[in-house]
């Protein structure tokens, strides 16, 4: 475990937002799984918040060092049950973390998303060489699921460090928090006469 992970718990949150409280109460996260070198079995705590339809995962091993050079990932899959005739959008994902790198080393954060009938989306973000401190990355998404009563959301996040270390500095990168936000949209049918 990295020293910077000592007191820093990482959280993975999924929050559904709706314009109607009644439909919101019917939205449920009914299952989730996780796997990967950044979140192996026994290293992730979780809390379900049924009132706010929120799932929080706390990580204690989602970090990398250079040298020796590592890559870690965490794949999370969850199922969202929604009232019928509604669409779900993976609207926004926020990443909070920490990096401590020397001028010749940069951090990388890869993300891959797949939900509903949407095509997979892959993104990469490089942190500036010589970064020391917290980082904040936001992903926003176009597209909605088809009208359905259940949507599976699959995500995979990977971090690593690249560049040329001096050997005199321990370069680190940690993912502290990932927050997933979705929205619901109501479908209405209209006809003229």
């Amino acid at each position: 475990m990295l020293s910077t992970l000592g007191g820093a718990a990482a959280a993975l949150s999924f929050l559904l937002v709706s314009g109607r409280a009644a439909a919101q109460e019917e939205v449920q996260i009914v299952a989730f799984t996780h796997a990967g070198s950044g979140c192996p079995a026994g290293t992730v705590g979780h809390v379900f918040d049924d009132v706010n339809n929120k799932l929080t995962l706390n990580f204690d091993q989602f970090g990398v060092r250079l040298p020796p050079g590592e890559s870690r990932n965490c794949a999370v899959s969850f199922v969202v049950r929604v009232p019928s005739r509604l669409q779900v959008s993976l609207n926004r994902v926020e990443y909070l973390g920490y990096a401590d790198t020397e001028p010749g080393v940069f951090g990388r954060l890869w993300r891959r998303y797949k939900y509903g009938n949407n095509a997979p989306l892959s993104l990469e973000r490089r942190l500036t060489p010589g970064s020391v401190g917290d980082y904040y990355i936001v992903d926003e998404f176009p597209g909605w699921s088809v009208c359905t009563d259940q949507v599976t959301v699959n995500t995979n996040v990977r971090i690593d460090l690249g560049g040329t270390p001096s050997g005199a500095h321990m370069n680190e990168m940690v993912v502290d928090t990932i927050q997933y936000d979705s929205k619901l949209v109501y479908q209405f049918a209209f006809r003229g006469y």
Side-chain angles (χ1 to χ4, degrees), residues 21-184:
Q24 180 66 22
E25 292 170 6
E26 297 177 38
V27 175
Q28 295 179 326
I29 299 171
V30 295
F32 82 94
T33 60
H34 64 85
S37 56
C39 56
T43 67
V44 179
H46 72 276
V47 176
F48 279 109
D49 180 348
D50 293 334
V51 174
N52 296 310
N53 300 304
K54 188 174 185 177
L55 167 66
T56 301
L57 302 180
N58 296 308
F59 302 88
D60 66 3
Q61 290 190 10
F62 204 176
V64 293
R65 287 181 170 176
L66 181 68
E70 302 170 327
S71 178
R72 291 193 187 228
N73 81 302
C74 187
V76 176
S77 178
F78 47 91
V79 176
V80 181
R81 187 172 293 150
V82 297
S84 62
R85 302 298 301 159
L86 292 178
Q87 292 178 291
V88 177
S89 173
L90 181 60
N91 185 53
R92 181 180 174 96
V93 181
E94 300 178 17
Y95 296 87
L96 295 171
Y98 176 81
D100 181 357
T101 61
E102 58 191 318
V105 176
F106 58 89
R108 284 185 290 228
L109 180 74
W110 277 282
R111 292 94 66 209
R112 180 175 169 87
Y113 305 99
K114 173 74 173 103
Y115 68 97
N117 60 319
N118 293 300
L121 175 64
S122 296
L123 302 169
E124 176 187 345
R125 174 74 176 268
R126 285 187 179 207
L127 302 181
T128 305
S131 295
V132 177
D134 296 331
Y135 65 84
Y136 176 66
I137 297 171
V138 176
D139 294 336
E140 295 181 311
F141 306 88
W144 296 85
S145 71
V146 295
C147 288
T148 184
D149 59 358
Q150 185 168 293
V151 174
T152 299
V153 178
N154 295 299
T155 68
N156 194 354
V157 179
R158 182 166 54 100
I159 59 172
D160 71 6
L161 295 167
T164 307
S166 68
H169 184 82
M170 181 60 69
N171 298 278
E172 296 180 298
M173 181 176 176
V174 177
V175 175
D176 287 328
T177 303
I178 306 172
Q179 181 170 302
Y180 294 83
D181 290 309
S182 285
K183 287 187 178 179
L184 300 178

